[in-house]
């Protein structure tokens, strides 16, 4: 099964994608994570992307399409993938359609996680994740069970994203509304779009997504 999780920054796409990986054996393809790894590598593309990401703007379609084209053809995607953060523009969606058609791969679901802008800044500003296993937490909404220790792997180092600050978040939201929200009617027309309530608690959102996907 192949799906796209859509929604504004802070909607919970990454959290739900991780749950789908664990529950259904799908692979999470997060273009944000791929870009952060590229930035870490210090390559030229990474240096260009770093400045754009820190401003909360979108990296060029050309770079993003090439990145997904390489990744989606890897053998581990054959059992199904979850696109998290891609496509973010109409050009990316059209390129994705074209590559999937060429690969004879079907897109089964596009799931929109609906969340009001008002709560996103709060949600994003308190986020942090375990450096070792990537499990996501929040200062108020998803606390560690034991102070300083990852619930999942016992790791003791945590990171916060540089673009998770109030100023950059408002640019990211603007980019979402201007460039990514137009994809909702695009996928509605193609008949694959379903919406879930991203304001509900994490378990409830998982239940709603599972209801869309149907039995394992
Ligand atoms: P995310 O982790 O999905 O919130 O992405 C973090 C940042 O990476 C975004 O604010 C963009 O600057 C960049 N980015 C991630 N995915 C894409 C994409 N599909 N197209 C353009 N820029 C992207």
């Amino acid at each position: 099964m192949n799906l796209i999780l859509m929604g504004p920054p802070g909607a919970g796409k990454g959290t739900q994608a991780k749950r789908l990986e664990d529950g259904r054996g799908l692979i999470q393809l997060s273009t944000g994570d791929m870009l952060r790894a590229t930035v870490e590598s210090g390559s030229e593309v990474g240096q260009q992307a770093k400045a754009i990401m820190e401003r909360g703007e979108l990296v060029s379609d050309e770079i993003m399409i090439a990145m997904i084209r390489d990744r989606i053809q890897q053998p581990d995607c054959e059992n199904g993938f979850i696109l998290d953060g891609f496509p973010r523009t109409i050009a990316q969606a059209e390129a994705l359609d074209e590559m999937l058609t060429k690969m004879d791969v079907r897109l089964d679901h596009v799931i929109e996680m609906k969340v009001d802008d008002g709560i996103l800044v709060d949600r994003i500003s308190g986020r942090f994740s375990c450096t070792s296993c990537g499990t996501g937490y929040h200062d108020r909404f998803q606390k560690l069970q034991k102070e300083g220790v990852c619930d999942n792997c016992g790791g003791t180092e945590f990171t916060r994203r540089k673009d998770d600050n109030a100023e950059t978040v408002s640019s990211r939201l603007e980019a979402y509304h201007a460039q990514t929200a137009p994809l909702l009617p695009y996928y509605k027309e193609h008949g694959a779009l379903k919406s879930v309530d991203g304001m509900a608690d994490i378990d409830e959102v998982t239940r709603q997504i599972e209801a869309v996907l149907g039995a394992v």
Side-chain angles (χ1 to χ4, degrees):
M1 176 186 294
N2 304 309
L3 56 131
I4 299 177
L5 282 184
M6 281 197 59
K13 301 183 295 291
T15 302
Q16 296 298 332
K18 291 239 151 45
R19 289 185 167 204
L20 290 168
E21 274 198 324
D22 294 344
R24 290 183 175 253
L26 304 173
I27 290 284
Q28 175 192 15
L29 303 181
S30 157
T31 43
D33 286 350
M34 292 176 205
L35 282 168
R36 283 182 283 279
T38 308
V39 169
E40 273 303 295
S41 77
S43 68
E44 202 178 309
V45 173
Q47 282 170 24
Q48 285 170 17
K50 184 170 189 272
I52 296 168
M53 291 164 81
E54 284 175 5
R55 290 199 300 271
E57 294 168 7
L58 295 186
V59 174
S60 76
D61 287 333
E62 199 187 346
I63 290 177
M64 299 317 301
I65 291 165
M67 196 173 263
I68 278 293
R69 182 175 284 123
D70 276 358
R71 184 64 188 88
I72 218 162
Q73 294 184 47
Q74 304 290 319
D76 61 345
C77 293
E78 278 168 19
N79 294 332
F81 55 78
I82 310 152
L83 284 166
D84 159 11
F86 185 97
R88 255 175 160 101
T89 63
I90 295 278
Q92 291 179 17
E94 288 172 349
L96 177 67
D97 280 349
E98 205 183 303
M99 65 182 100
L100 294 181
T101 305
K102 268 197 196 136
M103 289 164 64
D104 200 19
V105 166
R106 205 176 101 117
L107 186 61
D108 299 285
H109 301 280
V110 180
I111 300 181
E112 176 201 9
M113 302 176 63
K114 274 183 182 286
V115 183
D116 294 344
D117 279 8
I119 69 158
L120 291 171
V121 175
D122 264 3
R123 269 202 191 181
I124 294 177
S125 328
R127 296 201 297 198
F128 60 98
S129 61
C130 171
T131 314
S132 315
C133 72
T135 300
Y137 297 96
H138 192 281
D139 292 327
R140 280 187 291 152
F141 311 130
Q142 184 76 7
K143 293 184 179 175
L144 292 163
Q145 280 166 17
K146 187 169 167 223
E147 183 69 29
V149 182
C150 174
D151 301 354
N152 183 46
C153 76
T156 52
E157 281 190 30
F158 299 90
T159 44
R160 285 179 195 263
R161 280 171 50 173
K162 237 182 158 178
D163 58 349
D164 277 354
N165 61 73
E167 200 182 309
T168 311
V169 170
S170 50
S171 310
R172 288 162 65 195
L173 279 175
E174 257 174 53
Y176 179 78
H177 289 297
Q179 290 162 279
T180 309
L183 291 180
L184 298 170
Y186 176 89
Y187 283 116
K188 206 168 182 180
E189 257 172 48
H190 290 62
L193 185 71
K194 299 271 163 45
S195 297
V196 299
D197 176 12
M199 312 270 279
D201 71 48
I202 297 177
D203 289 342
E204 171 57 21
V205 179
T206 305
R207 271 193 292 276
Q208 291 188 18
I209 292 175
E210 289 293 345
V212 170
L213 303 185
V216 181

